[in-house]
Amino acid sequence: MKIALAGNPNSGKTTLFNAITGKIEHVGNWPGVTVEKKEGSVKSSFISDEKNVTVVDLPGAYSMSPYTSEESITKDFVINEKPDVIINIVDAGNISRSLFFTTQLLELGVPVIVALNKCDINEKKGTIIDTMLLSEVLKCPVIETIATESRQNGLASLIDIAVSVNKNGDKQKAPSPKDKIIEFSKEEIEALDKKRYDRVSGIVTQVERRKLESSSQTRQDKVDRFVAHKWLGIPIFAVIIWLVFSVSQSWVGPWLADVLVGWIDGFYGLVEGALGEGTNPVLSSLLLDGIIGGVGAVVGFLPLIMVLFFMLALLEDSGYMSRVALIMDRYFKKIGLSGKSIIPMIISTGCAIPGIMATRTIKNERQRRTTAMLAPFMPCGAKLPIIALFAGIFFNNNAWVGTSMYFLAILMIIVSGLVIRLITGDKSTSYFLIELPEYRIPSIKRATISMFSRAKAFIIKAGTIILICNAVVQILQTFNWQLQVVTEEMPGSSILASIASPLAWIFIPLGFGLWQFAAAAITGFIAKENVVGTLAVTFSITNFINVEELALVAGGSEVVSVFGIGAVAALSYLVFNLFTPPCFAAIGSMNSEMESRKWLWGAIGFQLGMGYIVAFLVYQLGTLFTMGELGSGFLGGLMAVVAIIGFIVYLILRNNRSEIKSSLKAA
C-alpha cells in the first residue's frame, strides 16, 4: 500500500512524515524546505494487520497546475504513480488557502483523507472548524492532527482510516463537477480557478468560526513590526547571530570541547601505549598522527558545531528565519534576486548541498543559477572547524569572528550578485511572496534531533573521507619521490611538499605562502573539514586542540609560532577558504541545478577570483593598518587582482556591446 502526503508548503507534511515513519528528515518552520519526494515505511505501532505501508512525502504545492519544479514533482507523482490513498495535509489555521489544492486532489479519483493539521494553534486562537460538516462537504474523511505532539496527535486514527479506505476499495467522489484543468487554455484555467476560489470561500464560510478576524492585529503582528522592520530587522538579526555564535563558540561549545578533547587524548595515549616502542615508526606515525590525530583534530570541533546546529535549529523552528527572508528581500531585489534566494542560503549554513538543491524552487533560470553559485558563500557546517580553529588560536575565541564571517558572506553575495547581473545583462524584476508562519516556542526535542542528525553526517564524513584523506596526506608527507622516509630536518623534500610548493607562491600576496597551507587548501576541495586535519598533519601538531598542550580553546600561542603567520594572514586564510569553491560534492550539486557547463565553470572561476581578491584585500589592507606597511608579494598580487577585475570588466563591456548591437538591429 502506498500513501502520498500532499499539501501546501509549510503545512507540516515532513513533520507528519517523520512522526509516522520514525525518520528524521529536515524540517523547518518556513515554506520550501522539502524540494524532492522522500519515502519511508509506516511504523508498526500505527498498523495492525497491514504489513507494508509506504508513505511518500511530496514537496509542497499550492496547485495541480505546477509553477515551480517541486510542484511538478508533486503533480507528476500524484497523477502518474497512482498512490492508493492521498493524505492531504491542510493547515487548520489557514484552510481558505489550503482547500484550493484539496478540491483539485478530490477530482483525481484517488481516495483522499484530509489531515487538519496544527489544530492546537486554532485552539489557542479560539478558531473552531466543524470537521463533521467539512467532511460532509468535501465527501472525504477529515481527521484533526497535531504532528508536532508525541501523544494524542490524531495520527493513529489517520493511518487507521487510510488503511481501511484502501482495504474497502472506496472510491473518491468529487464534491463538485470535475474541471479538467490540465486540458484547458490559460484563460480557461484562470476562469476555473476563480470559480474554484469562490467555491472554497463558500466552504470556509460554512465550516469555520473565528474568534479573531484575519484583519485584526495580533500579538505576532506587533512583534513583526520590529523584527521584520526594514531597518530595525538588520541590527536585530546581527544581535541574534552574535548570540548564537557566542553561545556556540565562546561559552558552551568550548567547555564541551574540553571534555571531548580529553577523551581523544586518552584514546591517543591508549593506542600509543598499545603499540609500544617496537612498532615501526612510519606505521606508528601514520596511525597516531595521520589517522587518530588528523581525524581527532576535526572531531574535536564537534561540540562547537553541535551547539551551533542546535541554536540554528531553534531559530528555524521558531519561525524567525522567514522574517529574515522578508528582511533580505528588498536588498536582494537590487541585485536581481528575490527573497526566495535567501532560503537556499540559510539552508546552506548547515550544508551547501541541500542549500543548492533548494534553488530549484526558484522559477527564474538566471536567478536559480546565480543563487546556486552564491549559496556556497555562506559558512556551512564543514567550514565551522576552520572558523573555530582560527578564532580560537588567533582571536581568543571572540564571537565576532564567526559573526563577521556570516555578514561578510552576505556582503559577498550582494556584491557578487550585482556583478553577475552586470555580466549577464539581466534587467528582469522579481516578486517574492512568502507566508509568514506563526511564531512558536521552538521544540527542544526537534532541535536536538536536528543537531544529532547533522552531527551524525559530520562524524560519518570524518570517519570516511577525512580519515582516508588524512592517511594519504600523512603518507605523502612521510615519503619522498624515491619512497624514502623524509627526515624531520627536511620536511620540504616530501612528496606532498613538492606538490604543494609550486602553488604556495600564489598565496604569498595573501600572507600564507607556505606549502602546508597550500596543501590544506587543496584537500579542502575534497571536503572542507580536511583543511583542519591537513594543517594538523602537515604541521605535526595533531594535539593542538589539547588545552594543556597547544590549546585551541585557551589561546594557542605555540600553534601561532608553528604556523608562522600573524592574525591578519590567518584572517586572510580563513576568508580564502570560506569564499573559494565549495567541496566536490557541492560542485556536483551546482552542476545538477545549473544545467549548464558554461555556468558551472564560470561559477567556479568566479568563486576562485572572489576568494583571492577578498583574501588579498584582507591581508594587504590589514597589514597596512596594523604594521604601517604593505604585506609581502603586494605587487604580484595586485597584478593578479587587476587581471581578474579586468576580465570581469571585459565580460560586462562585451555584454553591453551585444545589447547595443541587438538594439540597433531591432531599430
Side-chain angles (χ1 to χ4, degrees):
M1 177 184 175
K2 183 173 287 185
I3 299 174
L5 299 184
N8 291 170
N10 203 37
S11 57
K13 295 182 305 304
T14 304
T15 304
L16 192 146
F17 174 80
N18 288 342
I20 61 178
T21 62
K23 288 184 172 285
I24 47 175
E25 298 294 344
H26 181 60
V27 297
N29 191 13
W30 69 54
V33 175
T34 305
V35 294
E36 59 183 358
K37 64 181 180 184
K38 297 181 174 65
E39 197 169 301
S41 298
V42 174
K43 289 192 289 188
S44 57
S45 57
F46 284 110
I47 49 178
S48 53
D49 50 350
E50 187 77 25
K51 292 184 178 178
N52 298 315
V53 180
T54 302
V55 181
V56 181
D57 179 25
L58 297 170
Y62 290 106
S63 165
M64 289 297 288
S65 302
Y67 179 74
T68 61
S69 59
E70 72 270 24
E71 286 186 330
S72 296
I73 294 174
T74 297
K75 174 201 159 189
D76 293 343
F77 182 87
V78 171
I79 292 178
N80 301 326
E81 298 291 329
K82 305 291 183 188
D84 298 300
V85 175
I86 298 172
I87 293 181
N88 173 217
I89 293 86
V90 169
D91 184 349
N94 199 344
I95 61 171
S96 58
R97 184 250 297 157
S98 304
L99 290 184
F100 181 90
F101 186 43
T102 303
T103 56
Q104 291 183 325
L105 293 175
L106 291 168
E107 296 170 356
L108 299 176
V110 179
V112 174
I113 301 169
V114 170
L116 202 59
N117 202 28
K118 303 182 183 180
C119 288
D120 52 331
I121 296 177
N122 269 4
E123 288 180 11
K124 292 175 183 175
K125 289 184 173 181
T127 301
I128 300 172
I129 296 177
D130 188 337
T131 54
M132 296 287 289
L133 180 57
L134 182 60
S135 174
E136 185 180 325
V137 172
L138 295 178
K139 298 182 179 177
C140 71
V142 177
I143 308 298
E144 292 187 348
T145 60
I146 309 173
T148 53
E149 293 291 333
S150 55
R151 296 179 180 177
Q152 297 182 339
N153 49 25
L155 300 183
S157 301
L158 183 69
I159 300 301
D160 275 347
I161 292 177
V163 172
S164 174
V165 165
N166 179 57
K167 188 179 292 183
N168 298 335
D170 295 349
K171 301 295 181 185
Q172 181 63 55
K173 295 179 182 177
S176 58
K178 183 178 179 180
D179 297 325
K180 297 179 181 177
I181 56 172
I182 299 171
E183 301 173 8
F184 282 69
S185 66
K186 182 181 176 183
E187 291 73 19
E188 289 170 320
I189 290 176
E190 288 176 353
L192 289 173
D193 285 349
K194 186 176 183 307
K195 181 180 171 185
R196 191 183 299 276
Y197 276 120
D198 292 340
R199 199 159 64 231
V200 168
S201 179
I203 296 173
V204 173
T205 304
Q206 278 183 276
V207 304
E208 186 182 67
R209 295 289 179 271
R210 284 181 176 269
K211 182 178 180 182
L212 192 64
E213 293 300 323
S214 302
S215 57
S216 303
Q217 188 178 71
T218 63
R219 189 181 302 171
Q220 172 173 298
D221 297 330
K222 294 177 182 176
V223 173
D224 279 340
R225 281 193 169 192
F226 296 95
V227 174
H229 188 273
K230 63 179 180 180
W231 299 119
L232 290 176
I234 296 292
I236 290 173
F237 179 49
V239 170
I240 289 175
I241 290 296
W242 179 82
L243 283 173
V244 166
F245 266 92
S246 294
V247 172
S248 61
Q249 310 295 308
S250 302
W251 303 338
V252 181
W255 178 74
L256 294 173
D258 277 353
V259 178
L260 183 60
V261 166
W263 294 349
I264 294 172
D265 281 350
F267 182 66
Y268 184 100
L270 190 66
V271 175
E272 187 178 31
L275 290 175
E277 296 182 355
T279 306
N280 184 299
V282 175
L283 179 62
S284 175
S285 176
L286 174 63
L287 183 61
L288 293 174
D289 297 330
I291 296 177
I292 299 177
V295 174
V298 178
V299 174
F301 294 97
L302 185 61
L304 282 72
I305 295 170
M306 289 179 69
V307 175
L308 181 63
F309 283 158
F310 181 78
M311 300 290 292
L312 291 177
L314 291 179
L315 283 182
E316 290 181 7
D317 202 36
S318 69
Y320 175 68
M321 287 304 191
S322 293
R323 275 72 184 177
V324 175
L326 184 67
I327 294 166
M328 298 307 300
D329 177 54
R330 60 178 56 87
Y331 301 103
F332 277 24
K333 275 180 180 172
K334 297 182 187 303
I335 61 172
L337 299 178
S338 75
K340 206 165 189 178
S341 298
I342 193 68
I343 294 174
M345 292 169 188
I346 291 172
I347 294 175
S348 293
T349 57
C351 177
I353 297 171
I356 294 168
M357 290 173 64
T359 59
R360 66 183 60 170
T361 62
I362 302 170
K363 189 173 179 61
N364 183 286
E365 185 179 71
R366 189 200 63 81
Q367 289 185 5
R368 186 182 72 250
R369 289 171 171 172
T370 304
T371 306
M373 182 192 299
L374 303 182
F377 280 158
M378 293 301 291
C380 65
K383 294 175 182 174
L384 291 179
I386 312 174
I387 298 175
L389 170 66
F390 284 84
I393 292 175
F394 292 94
F395 303 100
N396 197 28
N397 275 326
N398 276 313
W400 69 263
V401 178
T403 305
S404 62
M405 290 303 109
Y406 274 76
F407 281 91
L408 182 58
I410 293 172
L411 180 62
M412 286 279 292
I413 288 168
I414 292 174
V415 173
S416 301
L418 191 59
V419 172
I420 294 168
R421 192 178 199 193
L422 290 173
I423 292 175
T424 58
D426 179 76
K427 294 183 173 60
S428 62
T429 56
S430 60
Y431 301 94
F432 176 55
L433 297 175
I434 186 171
E435 181 186 349
L436 295 180
E438 297 276 349
Y439 283 115
R440 68 186 182 198
I441 298 174
S443 164
I444 300 296
K445 178 183 176 183
R446 285 193 292 275
T448 304
I449 290 173
S450 173
M451 175 186 71
F452 279 112
S453 174
R454 293 179 178 185
K456 179 184 174 185
F458 185 87
I459 292 171
I460 290 174
K461 191 184 283 188
T464 52
I465 298 173
I466 298 169
L467 187 148
I468 294 171
C469 193
N470 284 337
V472 171
V473 168
Q474 180 68 27
I475 292 171
L476 293 178
Q477 190 187 7
T478 302
F479 297 98
N480 59 24
W481 288 103
Q482 289 73 40
L483 298 183
Q484 297 169 332
V485 177
V486 175
T487 60
E488 292 185 2
E489 292 77 20
M490 298 184 66
S493 62
S494 68
I495 296 174
L496 183 64
S498 64
I499 294 174
S501 293
L503 297 174
W505 66 269
I506 300 174
F507 301 130
I508 291 175
L510 311 186
F512 47 88
L514 299 175
W515 67 266
Q516 292 92 335
F517 288 111
I522 294 169
T523 59
F525 287 116
I526 301 172
K528 288 299 179 185
E529 296 95 331
N530 279 330
V531 173
V532 172
T534 303
L535 287 176
V537 172
T538 54
F539 280 107
S540 301
I541 49 172
T542 54
N543 55 344
F544 67 85
I545 55 175
N546 186 306
V547 179
E548 297 178 357
E549 298 289 338
L550 300 169
L552 162 66
V553 291
S557 58
E558 294 89 344
V559 179
V560 173
S561 175
V562 173
F563 276 4
I565 60 174
V568 175
L571 198 60
S572 167
Y573 189 70
L574 182 57
V575 298
F576 179 80
N577 278 284
L578 293 187
F579 302 128
T580 45
C583 63
F584 288 153
I587 291 175
S589 294
M590 286 168 56
N591 182 41
S592 175
E593 301 304 328
M594 287 181 170
E595 299 176 323
S596 166
R597 290 296 174 91
K598 181 181 175 182
W599 266 85
L600 176 68
W601 288 111
I604 294 172
F606 185 82
Q607 291 165 341
L608 273 173
M610 291 300 288
Y612 194 91
I613 292 172
V614 175
F616 174 80
L617 293 176
V618 167
Y619 175 63
Q620 296 295 339
L621 294 178
T623 304
L624 182 63
F625 287 134
T626 56
M627 307 291 291
E629 58 184 3
L630 293 168
S632 56
F634 171 75
L635 189 58
L638 182 63
M639 292 172 64
V641 169
V642 169
I644 295 170
I645 295 175
F647 184 67
I648 292 174
V649 171
Y650 161 74
L651 293 176
I652 295 172
L653 294 177
R654 188 182 67 172
N655 176 68
N656 289 342
R657 282 198 297 270
S658 299
E659 286 186 353
I660 293 172
K661 286 182 180 178
S662 300
S663 301
L664 291 175
K665 283 183 181 179

